[in-house]
């Protein structure tokens, strides 16, 4: 334990001068910390390098979360075998949780619980990152609705690189309201994390070398630091091509599900609940079943929808989740069904830069992601009730909520939110809100003078919001796959589109983030703080 750790344990900002001013010694503070209410669940979570066999041939060097249940139900952690993904963390609404995160990388890191409404010091802001060999202790209560959330690192300018190297995991919350529905669980639940990667000839990940610090254009310092595959090397790419590809979000040429290439999953004749996460750095999927079975959506980022909704295809942008019901009860034994991403024109996502701006597998390329192979075993068929959940009152439209316009622009090789780039500790007056207050934020995705724009999945930390309206992207091929439900923490704003969301901010005061969830954009500064006043 060092001073920083002690302060964190106490819920004090390590940046606050209060510690020294008080003249207390660390021991006394530590003793004080031990009188805090003890958690219901305590987990140890470590980020460390590992080697895995991903493709045929040489193993791939990855970074991976591993975990251990220190206190609480052993099923709180569910490892995904042979995957770089971290264990699935299964929590119950109302639980008090402590997570001891240990950073065993040789660079700073910090973990963010994407979608959870937690106190400031449990949210994983980059200013709280800890060096390799250090620990950060999170304390929070699970107040979110049942749903599919996730966790990933959030260090300054290194989020994309660390997630790409393997650091990510699902976080599932359940609650009594959801349990009463009798949705498929256990063997009836499929978890699918979609991620794309580029591999070099030795099966090592290849990532851009130039993220952060202004992309090398504005005198940036190339980031690198991933051992192998530090961008351009061995990629046969010019620095300019790599930079443009990074500017548009780093795409892999191989798409994997739970870290497996085109997996075949043996399934029974029964109903499944499929929890989908787009954990890719930049790729947007338009998901569909191979035989035109409609995609039955029962939940989104923030939990169950009020009513199930059938769509032909579902647009899932980086950071977003979807809960899908799939009834295989009437399938023939031996039959197969594929999860696909449908072809769409690259222009639906858009890009900047004229030349070599697309990776080897552009946005919109058609993909077969996974095959479900039906056995002759049967299992329970689940019939959905008409009404799945009661939406929280805060999602009711509040016509008098103040509206803030947030432009999304590209200027001088920078992606900007509200005309600004990220500053570690700074918030503008319009980024300051009262605890529990309700606002409308209107995101306007404005093309640059050359008519170029990109789709950006905009994410707000903390509370789930409601998408009120969209305008300006009617002909876009991703538009009809967008399911704006009552609960989202990440919203895709298409090129030229204006999207309004209504958000009731948390009652926890402090500094939180909103940003584009194309992780290269985030790392390049397409991120801002907002402050909830005390
Ligand atoms: Cu999933 Cu601030 O991120
Ligand atoms: Cu988040
Ligand atoms: Cu973006």
């Amino acid at each position: 334990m060092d001073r920083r750790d002690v302060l964190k344990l106490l819920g004090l900002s390590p940046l606050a001068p209060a510690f020294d001013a008080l003249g207390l010694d660390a021991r006394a503070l530590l003793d004080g910390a031990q009188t805090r209410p003890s958690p219901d669940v305590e987990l140890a979570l470590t980020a460390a390098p590992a080697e895995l066999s991903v493709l045929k041939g040489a193993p791939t060097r990855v970074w991976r979360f591993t975990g251990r249940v220190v206190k609480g139900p052993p099923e709180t952690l569910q490892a995904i075998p042979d995957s770089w993904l971290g264990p699935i963390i299964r929590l119950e609404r109302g639980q008090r949780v402590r997570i001891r995160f240990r950073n065993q990388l040789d660079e700073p890191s910090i973990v963010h619980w994407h979608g959870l409404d937690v106190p400031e010091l449990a949210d994983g802001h980059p200013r709280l990152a800890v060096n390799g060999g250090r620990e950060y202790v999170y304390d929070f209560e699970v107040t979110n609705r049942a749903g599919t959330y996730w966790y990933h690192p959030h260090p300054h300018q290194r989020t994309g690189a660390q997630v790409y190297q393997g650091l990510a995991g699902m976080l599932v919350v359940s609650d009594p309201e959801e349990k009463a529905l009798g949705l498929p669980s256990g063997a009836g639940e499929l978890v699918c994390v979609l991620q794309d990667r580029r591999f070099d000839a030795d099966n090592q990940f290849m990532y851009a070398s130039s993220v952060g610090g202004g992309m090398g254009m504005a005198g940036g310092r190339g980031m690198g630091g991933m051992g192998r595959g530090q961008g351009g090397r061995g990629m046969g790419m010019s620095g300019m091509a790599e930079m443009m590809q990074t500017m548009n979000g780093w795409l892999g040429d191989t798409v994997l599900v739970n870290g497996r290439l085109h997996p075949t999953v043996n399934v029974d004749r029964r109903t499944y609940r499929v929890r989908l996460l787009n954990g890719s750095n930049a790729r947007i999927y338009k998901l569909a079943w191979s035989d035109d079975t409609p995609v039955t959506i029962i939940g989104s980022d923030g939990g169950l929808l009020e009513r199930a909704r059938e769509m032909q295809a579902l647009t899932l942008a980086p950071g977003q989740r979807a809960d899908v019901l799939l009834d295989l009860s009437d399938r023939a034994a031996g039959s197969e069904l594929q999860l696909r991403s449908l072809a769409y024109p690259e222009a639906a996502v858009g890009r900047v830069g004229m030349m070599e701006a697309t990776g080897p597998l552009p946005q919109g390329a058609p993909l077969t992601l996974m095959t479900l192979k039906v056995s002759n075993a049967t299992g329970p068929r689940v019939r959905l009730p008409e009404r799945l959940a009661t939406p929280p009152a805060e999602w009711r439209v509040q016509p008098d909520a103040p509206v803030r316009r947030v432009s999304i622009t590209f200027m001088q090789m920078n992606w900007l939110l509200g005309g600004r780039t990220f500053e570690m500790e700074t918030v503008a007056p319009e980024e300051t809100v009262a605890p529990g207050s309700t606002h409308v934020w209107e995101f306007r995705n404005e093309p640059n003078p050359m008519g170029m724009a990109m789709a950006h999945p905009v994410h707000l930390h903390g509370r789930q919001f409601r998408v009120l309206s969209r305008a300006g992207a009617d002909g876009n091929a991703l538009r009809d796959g967008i399911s704006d439900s009552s609960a989202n923490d990440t919203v895709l704003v298409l090129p030229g589109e204006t999207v309004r969301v209504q958000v009731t901010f948390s009652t926890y005061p402090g500094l939180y983030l909103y940003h584009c969830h194309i992780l290269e954009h985030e790392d390049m500064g397409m991120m801002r703080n907002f402050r909830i006043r005390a």
Side-chain angles (χ1 to χ4, degrees):
M1 281 265 164
D2 67 0
R3 171 178 173 273
R4 248 173 110 86
D5 295 329
V6 169
L7 287 170
K8 281 169 185 167
L9 200 64
L10 289 165
L12 297 171
S13 165
L15 303 168
F19 183 89
D20 294 326
L22 289 171
L24 301 170
D25 73 11
R27 195 66 236 166
L29 286 173
L30 201 56
D31 291 345
Q34 279 157 359
T35 65
R36 292 174 114 196
S38 85
D40 306 306
V41 174
E42 183 173 335
L43 306 174
L45 192 71
T46 300
E51 276 202 348
L52 273 180
S53 173
V54 179
L55 304 177
K56 253 185 259 135
T60 304
R61 283 185 295 279
V62 303
W63 290 348
R64 185 165 57 158
F65 285 119
T66 52
R68 188 167 55 85
V69 179
V70 177
K71 182 184 177 193
E75 60 275 14
T76 303
L77 289 185
Q78 184 189 350
I80 303 181
D82 306 317
S83 173
W84 62 68
L85 290 173
I88 302 170
I89 302 178
R90 293 185 183 270
L91 300 173
E92 308 255 347
R93 188 175 192 172
Q95 277 174 334
R96 280 181 315 215
V97 181
R98 177 167 300 163
I99 303 178
R100 293 179 183 278
F101 165 60
R102 188 156 191 89
N103 177 7
Q104 294 287 47
L105 310 171
D106 59 8
E107 62 177 58
S109 194
I110 191 76
V111 185
H112 167 60
W113 321 99
H114 180 129
L116 296 192
D117 179 15
V118 297
E120 171 184 33
L121 294 176
D123 196 49
H125 192 283
R127 76 188 194 287
L128 303 175
V130 290
N131 288 329
R134 299 281 177 184
E135 200 176 71
Y136 190 97
V137 182
Y138 297 83
D139 272 295
F140 60 87
E141 185 183 327
V142 182
T143 59
N144 281 69
R145 305 168 77 222
T148 306
Y149 306 92
W150 66 302
Y151 62 99
H152 60 77
H154 222 298
H156 188 49
Q157 298 184 330
R158 290 290 288 165
T159 296
Q162 292 192 6
V163 171
Y164 192 89
Q165 198 66 9
L167 295 172
M170 261 209 189
L171 192 157
V172 171
V173 174
S174 67
D175 66 15
E177 185 191 17
E178 190 197 65
K179 277 186 191 153
L181 294 174
L183 293 171
S185 62
E189 188 185 288
L190 301 175
V191 164
C192 303
V193 181
L194 311 176
Q195 295 175 306
D196 58 342
R197 296 290 183 266
R198 256 182 244 185
F199 294 89
D200 69 12
D202 295 322
N203 288 350
Q204 305 309 311
F205 292 145
M206 298 197 301
Y207 190 63
S209 58
S210 52
V211 185
M215 302 288 304
M217 280 296 276
R221 47 198 176 100
M223 295 302 286
M226 287 185 56
R228 260 307 233 283
Q230 302 186 359
R233 267 206 292 147
M235 243 188 291
M237 282 172 72
S238 72
M240 179 60 98
E242 188 198 311
M243 197 196 67
M244 290 319 304
Q245 290 182 20
T246 310
M247 195 69 80
N248 290 311
W250 189 255
L251 299 172
D253 53 12
T254 307
V255 184
L256 305 105
V257 180
N258 301 335
R260 311 307 302 171
L261 182 60
H262 302 147
T264 296
V265 181
N266 293 312
V267 291
D268 298 337
R269 299 158 68 198
R270 59 172 295 170
T271 311
Y272 283 90
R273 175 182 196 168
V274 188
R275 295 185 189 262
L276 295 159
L277 158 66
N278 183 348
S280 308
N281 282 34
R283 186 173 294 278
I284 299 174
Y285 304 93
K286 192 170 182 184
L287 300 172
W289 299 114
S290 52
D291 65 351
D292 297 329
T293 300
V295 183
T296 304
I297 301 163
I298 59 168
S300 64
D301 295 341
L304 293 174
L305 311 190
E306 191 171 356
R307 292 190 169 74
R309 168 160 188 208
E310 293 197 343
M311 299 181 75
Q312 270 325 302
L314 169 68
T315 299
L316 205 64
Q320 293 185 314
R321 288 86 64 208
D323 233 316
V324 164
L325 212 73
L326 177 65
D327 190 1
L328 299 175
S329 309
D330 299 326
R331 302 270 162 165
S335 63
E336 290 185 353
L337 183 67
Q338 267 120 20
L339 177 65
R340 291 212 174 129
S341 183
L342 304 181
Y344 62 82
E346 195 206 350
V349 175
R351 62 176 163 86
V352 293
M354 306 302 273
M355 16 158 273
E356 301 172 291
T358 310
L361 184 70
Q363 297 272 20
L367 305 161
T368 298
L369 299 166
M370 143 180 110
T371 298
L372 303 178
K373 195 167 172 21
V374 182
S375 77
N376 52 22
T378 56
R381 167 180 240 151
V382 172
R383 298 220 182 265
L384 286 177
E386 181 61 21
R387 200 181 161 87
L388 296 171
T390 312
E394 68 183 50
W395 293 337
R396 230 172 282 136
V397 178
Q398 296 182 31
D400 50 355
V403 179
R404 174 189 170 211
R405 299 204 158 79
V406 186
S407 64
I408 296 174
T409 50
F410 184 71
M411 282 178 65
Q412 289 160 339
M413 303 300 277
N414 278 310
W415 291 108
L416 305 175
L417 278 176
R420 298 190 181 92
T421 188
F422 182 60
E423 298 165 277
M424 187 64 89
E425 315 253 354
T426 307
V427 279
E430 65 270 28
E431 292 170 321
T432 305
V433 298
S437 62
T438 300
H439 295 252
V440 171
W441 281 14
E442 181 187 278
F443 298 101
R444 293 172 169 238
N445 193 344
E446 297 169 4
N448 74 3
M450 296 172 75
M452 286 173 159
M454 268 195 80
H456 301 276
V458 177
H459 169 52
L460 267 69
H461 283 212
R463 287 284 174 92
Q464 301 288 321
F465 52 75
R466 173 181 179 143
V467 179
L468 293 178
S469 66
R470 300 180 166 267
D474 285 347
N476 189 299
L478 288 169
R479 178 70 184 82
D480 64 354
I482 292 177
S483 148
D484 290 323
S485 65
S486 48
N488 291 275
D489 56 49
T490 307
V491 64
L492 186 59
V493 187
L494 296 168
E497 196 175 33
T498 295
V499 176
R500 285 190 162 207
V501 306
Q502 175 184 299
V503 54
T504 298
F505 287 98
S506 179
T507 50
Y508 295 121
L511 206 59
Y512 294 90
L513 299 161
Y514 64 106
H515 58 86
C516 178
H517 222 287
I518 291 179
L519 297 180
E520 291 72 31
H521 291 182
E522 173 187 335
D523 284 338
M524 288 162 55
M526 195 180 183
M527 174 156 80
R528 290 289 302 173
N529 288 315
F530 66 89
R531 179 182 294 286
I532 300 175
R533 278 194 291 268

